[in-house]
Amino acid sequence: MSDYIVRVTDKDHQVRLYVAITKDLVERARSLHKTSPVATAALGRTLTAGAIMGSMMKGDKDLLTLQFKGDGPLGGVLVTANSDAIVKGYVNRPDMDLPLKPNGKLDVSGALGTGFLNVIKDIGMKEPYNGQIDLVSGEIAEDLTYYFASSEQTPSVVALGVLVDKDYTVRQSGGFILQLMPGAKDEVIDTIEANIKKLPSVTAMLEEGFDGEGIANKVLEGLSLMYHEKIYPRFECDCSKERVEKALITVGREEIKDMIQEGKPIVMSCQFCNTEYTFDLGDLRDILDRMNIV
């Protein structure tokens, strides 16, 4: 099953639901960052949410950033997404690991700890929108549910899941975001609440062979559904040597002079995809010359 996001509404447009299958993109992130199982789960959940929330945006140049920061050993997670659901992201400490929780689940909340979530939306206004909340659980999905309710005043249900196999590869990954539209009738709300209470986990449904439409039918059982467009999310980094050079320039003239004095090329990596860029002595001298002109 290749990755996709399906958008679903009821026939009266009282509720909208985005269901994402993200196994391939999360496995690509895992292989790039060499993440431990718990780091894979944290990053995968955030990438899945980012892909869905990105697909909710309208403009071609709109950009979403999800930043989880905590005092746990993972440090934080950062993911960006555009309206085509193209995502990239990283965790601060990809190799850290923790024992499983007593219920056998990966301890994402323990890895992240106490902290906050920043949601930044750059949609072409003078200043990007920035919504910040304190983490309510550190499990990613619950924190985003609270974000939608408190910062966007949109009653929502967010469910995310990543199942890591014995060889540390991604076995299953996906999730959904369900939102009530203004004026949703009580009977529709009651139906959805009853469905959510008895709903298996996302990874359990994926393990049973449910696709995106099957999960949507389970979540919105009892409602007449309309299936809309599919979007195909993927992990893709747009880094370049020019972009990494901008980061190098921020260290300052004196630091670059010292690098030249040492007589060795330097290698810098992109945080999002670990691609390495080499700057030889000629590159460093060119950069210094340009800095002296400015």
Side-chain angles (χ1 to χ4, degrees):
M1 188 190 305
S2 58
D3 292 351
Y4 69 95
I5 299 170
V6 61
R7 183 170 69 90
V8 188
T9 62
D10 68 305
K11 64 180 179 62
D12 297 319
H13 296 278
Q14 298 181 74
V15 60
R16 68 175 181 174
L17 172 67
Y18 293 76
V19 183
I21 309 295
T22 56
K23 176 182 173 180
D24 293 344
L25 76 84
V26 175
E27 171 57 21
R28 174 159 169 72
R30 183 209 66 81
S31 65
L32 286 171
H33 292 291
K34 306 293 189 291
T35 43
S36 70
V38 70
T40 298
L43 180 57
R45 292 177 191 179
T46 311
L47 286 167
T48 301
I52 296 173
M53 292 172 68
S55 72
M56 292 176 172
M57 300 189 299
K58 305 243 184 327
D60 291 340
K61 295 183 179 179
D62 291 355
L63 187 67
L64 168 81
T65 301
L66 298 177
Q67 181 185 35
F68 286 85
K69 296 205 73 167
D71 59 7
L74 187 66
V77 188
L78 189 137
V79 163
T80 71
N82 66 16
S83 57
D84 291 323
I86 297 173
V87 294
K88 61 182 181 180
Y90 63 88
V91 294
N92 290 121
R93 286 194 57 208
D95 58 344
M96 67 74 51
D97 211 355
L98 289 176
L100 297 175
K101 294 195 288 188
N103 63 2
K105 302 291 187 182
L106 292 164
D107 192 4
V108 172
S109 61
L112 200 51
T114 303
F116 62 87
L117 161 65
N118 262 340
V119 178
I120 304 165
K121 294 182 181 181
D122 189 346
I123 54 175
M125 310 292 283
K126 281 187 177 180
E127 295 290 333
Y129 163 84
N130 191 339
Q132 184 178 109
I133 61 157
D134 291 331
L135 299 181
V136 294
S137 74
E139 290 288 344
I140 310 297
E142 293 171 15
D143 303 297
L144 285 165
T145 297
Y146 179 66
Y147 160 77
F148 280 117
S150 62
S151 293
E152 296 194 7
Q153 288 74 53
T154 304
S156 306
V157 177
V158 181
L160 305 164
V162 176
L163 183 62
V164 179
D165 221 332
K166 292 178 181 178
D167 63 358
Y168 288 9
T169 60
V170 176
R171 182 178 172 92
Q172 304 287 358
S173 181
F176 67 80
I177 297 179
L178 178 153
Q179 296 187 321
L180 292 173
M181 297 294 96
K185 294 178 181 177
D186 288 343
E187 54 265 33
V188 170
I189 297 171
D190 292 343
T191 297
I192 291 170
E193 287 179 346
N195 290 346
I196 295 296
K197 283 181 181 177
K198 63 183 182 183
L199 196 68
S201 70
V202 169
T203 52
M205 288 187 283
L206 292 172
E207 280 287 272
E208 287 182 41
F210 281 73
D211 59 9
E213 290 81 357
I215 293 173
N217 286 333
K218 197 90 171 165
V219 175
L220 299 178
E221 187 177 353
L223 301 179
S224 297
L225 304 186
M226 297 175 61
Y227 290 90
H228 303 276
E229 75 281 359
K230 280 187 178 181
I231 298 165
Y232 299 93
R234 64 186 186 274
F235 188 105
E236 185 178 291
C237 188
D238 55 353
C239 67
S240 64
K241 190 170 183 177
E242 289 72 27
R243 286 193 176 198
V244 175
E245 181 184 298
K246 289 179 181 178
L248 176 58
I249 288 171
T250 62
V251 304
R253 291 184 176 86
E254 295 306 314
E255 285 286 338
I256 293 175
K257 285 180 182 177
D258 290 342
M259 294 174 190
I260 295 170
Q261 283 292 111
E262 288 178 14
K264 297 177 183 177
I266 67 162
V267 178
M268 295 185 67
S269 298
C270 171
Q271 282 184 298
F272 288 101
C273 68
N274 281 337
T275 299
E276 292 186 342
Y277 295 92
T278 300
F279 294 85
D280 60 26
L281 294 179
D283 293 327
L284 294 174
R285 290 190 185 99
D286 286 344
I287 292 168
L288 189 61
D289 288 343
R290 278 183 270 124
M291 291 175 73
N292 288 331
I293 292 171
V294 175

